[in-house]
Amino acid sequence: MTQPASALDRELAIEQAHVDLVYAQLAKAALAARRTASASRSIYASDRGTWMREEDGTAMFERDAFAFQAAKRLAVLDAEHEGLVFGRLDLSGSEIRYIGRIGVRDEEYEPLVIDWRARAAEPFYRATPSDPMDVTRRRVLRCRNDRVIGIEDDLLDAADAGDLVVIGEGALMASLQRARGAHMRDIVATIQAEQDEAIRAEARGVTVISGGPGTGKTVVALHRAAYLLYSNRRRFERGGILVVGPSALFMSYIERVLPSLGEDSVTLRSIGAVASDVLGFAADRNDDAAAAGIKGSLRMAPLLKRLVDLPLVDPGPEGARLLLTVKGEPVGLDAAALDRLRREVLSRHKVNRAREAAEKALLAQLADQVPEELELDRETIDDLITSSAQWRMFINAWWPTLTPTEVLRRLDDPAVTRRVSVGLLDADEQRVLTESFHHEAWSVADIALLDELAALLGPVPPEPDAEDPVFIEGAEAAELVTVADRLSRQIVDDPDDEAHTEYAHLLVDEAQDITPMQWRMLRRRGAHASWTIVGDPAQSSWPDPAETDKVIAELIGHAPHRSFRLSVNYRSPAEVFALAADVVRRGFPGADLPEAVRHTGVEPELLATSADGLTGLVADRAAALLTELPGTVGVIAPPSRLDAVRAALAPLAEPRLVVVTPLQAKGLEYDGVIVVAPDDIVAESPGGVRVLYVALTRPTQRLVCVDPDPAGGDWRESLR
């Protein structure tokens, strides 16, 4: 029932008065934090530039501690929150609780706002008419900055309602009707009961969250990260939480969710950037389906081990022979002996840490060949050998310091690929692998291989003469490393560590697309971590789901684990999802399909044209959707047609229009979607029809499919 304007105005005024009180208290808290930060700077100051007394160090520690805590508090208080207060609970007994993004208390330490992650806030998400949890009315406040602009109420216990006013038709459906923008919004005001259960699940071990398109898996997982930080801040802020997604475009889309929830201490990386801690760079280029399938397979692990063990010098009949003289007497080793010695050394050491051991083993075998009649002691023999030009030239070629990129680039040589692929790859696979390295830029799949090589090679040793400075000389230091910095950055002092950053918790989104080699890369960063794994096998782009299932089962092992299934598709209109479901069932009969609960009354458009008319029709429909819809429009095209489609749409010059490949569209959503050449998407994607399913389930309002064949595409067979 629609309430008269006076009732709505009266309720808005009541809520605005409380919101004003909260912001006033927040301003006082921020001022107090600034004063603390200012006071901390005066705790210790020194004019000493090169050394300090022991008591000075204690004072500096106190200063750092005050400054660190004050800065953390200011970061929370100064954050720009979209609607700091978003909810209200009216409980039986006249108790009122306001729910918000962070907790705020008044001078008497009474709560003005309860943090949404606190136990006292659980009824806001879990109460239902059948189990109201003592909640009479649940109210969602829609705010723009510090102004209350809307109210949506749910009456949960009518018998206890009294004269409570009920306004609106429900917060969830109202939220779903809002236009999409360039960034994902949080759902903190509209979390549903099954989502809340996954968010608040126990931290230990492995939590698996599954569900079809539109069920909110990604945003639930991000809210879980915020909840973990709230519930055990010491552990997870100190150890760190790593959130991994499928692409840089996806990470840009979700980057504002956690800051809007009051958390900015989480590391977000695309799967192509996970190893940037070791490699210093990331990748966002995707290989074609054949190359990606080979590079992601576990067969690459032994192949890379062989590649590392393969010396750079040609081990032919003469090429790898070491021959020199000691006082005119010849000594040396043939290729077989050198190969055997190299294997023995590498069985105990990593390549970049093994050169000293290799030299000692080599010298020992050469020294045994020196005739006793020369009457030379071992030290003299070693000096004579190592001072020769032949020795220096050989050892530098036979055992150089290696980087992952140098080693992996060797696979662009067919002869090298053939040698290390025996029994692992057939001739066609060897050719595909070699040709994939003819690109100048590394691919996303290459990053996992490079990380594997970094683990096999070990870190590059420092220069022999490099020493850490003892005193500060010259200009001021460019960076101050405090105790807090060391804790937050997980700085590692062990020189044998491969520099992989170890996290306390890993959250992996779109996990169905993570290849076995990428799982190995992730495990190096979470060997002792708890995990949240989010995915949907029906949307997998990896061609061998069974291999992925095996890797995840090994990761879980005997650790505590729990699974949650999200069953309701809130994003896709029922008309759109019915079409997508028919398509995916054809290629993946066991797909776990959610229930789409929202209807728009608009059926998907299935258009067909000639190959020459394809881009023109796409441009026409894109222009029409931009006029008809207030939010974003996504055009999803196969990689082979991407450039042509972008060129056709360039004259529209509309920032709301986005052109992506199906893999780039993973996890994203648009008000309207145009899927270009669905059959080509199936043919060019490693996951086939499952990747087309991803493309078809991106819209929140309208779907248009355009085939470059007047008779329509083969993919439509499942719709007949």
Side-chain angles (χ1 to χ4, degrees):
M1 180 185 299
T2 302
Q3 296 291 326
S6 58
L8 175 59
D9 292 342
R10 186 166 57 252
E11 294 299 311
L12 286 173
I14 291 171
E15 305 304 354
Q16 186 63 59
H18 188 80
V19 169
D20 290 344
L21 180 62
V22 170
Y23 274 91
Q25 187 63 28
L26 203 65
K28 293 179 183 178
L31 179 60
R34 288 189 177 87
R35 287 173 177 166
T36 301
S38 177
S40 71
R41 287 192 290 270
S42 66
I43 290 176
Y44 175 78
S46 174
D47 57 1
R48 299 184 187 276
T50 58
W51 63 278
M52 66 180 68
R53 298 183 298 268
E54 183 177 350
E55 58 269 28
D56 294 340
T58 301
M60 291 182 70
F61 177 84
E62 292 176 358
R63 179 201 66 189
D64 290 343
F66 273 108
F68 180 66
Q69 294 300 329
K72 282 176 60 179
R73 182 61 177 158
L74 268 174
V76 172
L77 296 175
D78 287 347
E80 294 183 8
H81 301 299
E82 179 191 353
L84 171 60
V85 186
F86 59 76
R88 166 176 166 162
L89 291 175
D90 291 89
L91 290 90
S92 58
S94 302
E95 180 186 354
I96 296 174
R97 298 177 190 170
Y98 281 91
I99 314 299
R101 297 171 191 276
I102 61 174
V104 181
R105 295 177 180 269
D106 61 18
E107 286 84 351
E108 282 72 39
Y109 214 64
E110 291 297 321
L112 295 175
V113 183
I114 296 172
D115 191 298
W116 68 275
R117 295 162 289 193
R119 184 172 295 278
E122 285 191 35
F124 187 77
Y125 303 108
R126 300 201 178 189
T128 63
S130 59
D131 181 15
M133 301 176 69
D134 291 328
V135 177
T136 303
R137 180 183 67 182
R138 174 173 50 213
R139 167 168 289 180
V140 174
L141 311 181
R142 190 157 62 90
C143 298
R144 183 174 294 122
N145 298 321
D146 60 349
R147 306 306 300 171
V148 183
I149 61 174
I151 294 172
E152 294 288 341
D153 288 336
D154 292 310
L155 184 61
L156 302 182
D157 189 353
D160 196 38
D163 58 356
L164 284 179
V165 177
V166 179
I167 293 175
E169 298 178 352
L172 176 61
M173 299 309 292
S175 174
L176 292 173
Q177 299 296 333
R178 293 169 61 188
R180 265 51 184 175
H183 296 276
M184 176 181 281
R185 291 191 299 265
D186 64 67
I187 60 167
V188 66
T190 57
I191 293 171
Q192 301 302 291
E194 69 174 4
Q195 296 173 330
D196 188 65
E197 187 178 1
I199 289 169
R200 299 175 190 267
E202 184 182 355
R204 292 187 310 118
V206 180
T207 299
V208 178
I209 302 174
S210 65
T215 55
K217 298 184 301 297
T218 295
V219 72
V220 165
L222 293 173
H223 285 66
R224 173 163 171 76
Y227 175 75
L228 291 176
L229 282 164
Y230 175 84
S231 61
N232 196 336
R233 187 165 299 279
R234 179 179 178 84
R235 173 189 173 191
F236 292 113
E237 197 167 71
R238 176 174 177 172
I241 294 178
L242 174 64
V243 176
V244 179
S247 67
L249 186 64
F250 175 83
M251 304 316 288
S252 176
Y253 179 60
I254 69 171
E255 65 183 356
R256 294 185 184 177
V257 173
L258 283 166
S260 76
L261 299 172
E263 299 295 350
D264 58 3
S265 56
V266 174
T267 301
L268 277 68
R269 287 193 183 145
S270 66
I271 191 65
V274 166
S276 58
D277 55 353
V278 171
L279 304 176
F281 61 87
D284 206 33
R285 179 181 69 82
N286 289 303
D287 289 295
D288 61 36
I294 295 168
K295 291 179 178 180
S297 170
L298 284 175
R299 292 176 294 171
M300 290 301 296
L303 187 151
L304 294 177
K305 182 64 169 65
R306 294 178 185 177
L307 185 63
V308 167
D309 293 347
L310 186 69
L312 292 179
V313 294
D314 180 11
E318 300 295 333
R321 182 175 176 81
L322 171 61
L323 181 64
L324 22 86
T325 60
V326 176
K327 293 292 185 177
E329 294 292 335
V331 295
L333 295 170
D334 60 17
L338 288 169
D339 217 24
R340 185 168 55 253
L341 185 148
R342 184 180 180 88
R343 288 197 304 271
E344 290 174 357
V345 172
L346 289 178
S347 69
R348 302 187 302 272
H349 305 277
K350 294 186 177 182
V351 174
N352 286 338
R353 293 294 187 187
R355 176 158 169 166
E356 183 179 353
E359 289 186 21
K360 287 181 178 179
L362 201 56
L363 284 170
Q365 296 204 20
L366 294 174
D368 289 344
Q369 300 176 30
V370 176
E372 293 182 2
E373 54 265 29
L374 291 180
E375 297 183 350
L376 298 174
D377 60 39
R378 177 60 188 274
E379 184 177 353
T380 302
I381 293 173
D382 288 353
D383 287 343
L384 289 171
I385 293 174
T386 57
S387 63
S388 67
Q390 297 101 312
W391 168 269
R392 291 194 298 271
M393 291 175 60
F394 176 82
I395 202 69
N396 287 334
W398 186 59
W399 211 290
T401 297
L402 298 175
T403 64
T405 51
E406 291 171 337
V407 175
L408 191 59
R409 191 61 77 181
R410 296 183 68 188
L411 291 179
D412 67 3
D413 181 346
V416 172
T417 302
R418 187 164 51 251
R419 288 194 61 196
V420 298
S421 300
V422 175
L424 297 173
L425 304 179
D426 62 30
D428 285 341
E429 290 173 322
Q430 292 174 23
R431 176 186 54 78
V432 169
L433 182 62
T434 297
E435 291 177 355
S436 74
F437 290 108
H438 294 169
H439 289 274
E440 183 176 346
W442 297 108
S443 71
V444 172
D446 291 335
I447 295 299
L449 306 185
L450 290 167
D451 191 68
E452 186 84 14
L453 287 170
L456 291 170
L457 294 171
V460 176
E463 294 296 327
D465 298 330
E467 294 183 0
D468 293 330
V470 177
F471 301 113
I472 301 174
E473 299 179 356
E476 295 182 1
E479 181 180 13
L480 172 65
V481 180
T482 67
V483 173
D485 292 328
R486 293 183 61 80
L487 292 177
S488 63
R489 298 183 197 176
Q490 292 289 284
I491 296 174
V492 178
D493 291 325
D494 182 357
D496 292 324
D497 191 274
E498 286 74 39
H500 300 105
T501 304
E502 178 103 14
Y503 293 90
H505 189 86
L506 270 75
L507 192 161
V508 184
D509 198 7
E510 303 293 345
Q512 74 277 353
D513 295 331
I514 303 297
T515 70
M517 290 302 293
Q518 289 170 341
W519 279 115
R520 290 171 66 90
M521 173 178 66
L522 292 171
R523 289 185 71 170
R524 294 185 191 101
R525 287 153 182 85
H528 304 95
S530 54
W531 294 69
T532 298
I533 299 174
V534 183
D536 175 20
Q539 300 182 65
S540 176
S541 62
W542 178 244
D544 189 356
E547 190 175 20
T548 299
D549 292 342
K550 179 182 177 182
V551 173
I552 294 177
E554 291 174 352
L555 184 150
I556 294 174
H558 298 291
H561 64 279
R562 59 212 65 87
S563 298
F564 298 90
R565 176 182 178 267
L566 304 181
S567 60
V568 180
N569 180 345
Y570 299 104
R571 176 180 65 220
S572 306
E575 297 84 357
V576 169
F577 190 68
L579 179 147
D582 288 341
V583 170
V584 76
R585 284 194 193 99
R586 178 185 179 188
F588 194 56
D592 181 11
L593 303 179
E595 178 188 3
V597 296
R598 189 167 55 88
H599 295 262
T600 61
V602 180
E603 294 293 330
E605 294 182 59
L606 304 183
L607 307 179
T609 183
S610 64
D612 292 339
L614 179 68
T615 55
L617 181 57
V618 169
D620 289 344
R621 291 306 300 131
L625 288 178
L626 288 168
T627 301
E628 297 162 7
L629 299 173
T632 55
V633 173
V635 179
I636 303 176
S640 62
R641 298 182 182 271
L642 197 65
D643 291 341
V645 170
R646 282 178 172 158
L649 296 175
L652 295 178
E654 171 56 64
R656 291 189 294 128
L657 182 64
V658 182
V659 184
V660 293
T661 66
L663 293 183
Q664 290 173 333
K666 288 270 185 177
L668 307 182
E669 58 183 27
Y670 309 95
D671 286 86
V673 168
I674 301 175
V675 177
V676 180
D679 282 331
D680 291 352
I681 288 176
V682 173
E684 297 176 26
S685 302
V689 71
R690 289 174 294 173
V691 176
L692 175 58
Y693 176 57
V694 172
L696 295 174
T697 54
R698 297 307 95 192
T700 66
Q701 301 294 335
R702 302 275 295 279
L703 172 65
V704 178
C705 297
V706 183
D707 284 294
D709 180 351
D714 293 339
W715 72 280
R716 299 192 191 187
E717 286 297 321
S718 56
L719 306 179
R720 299 191 174 100

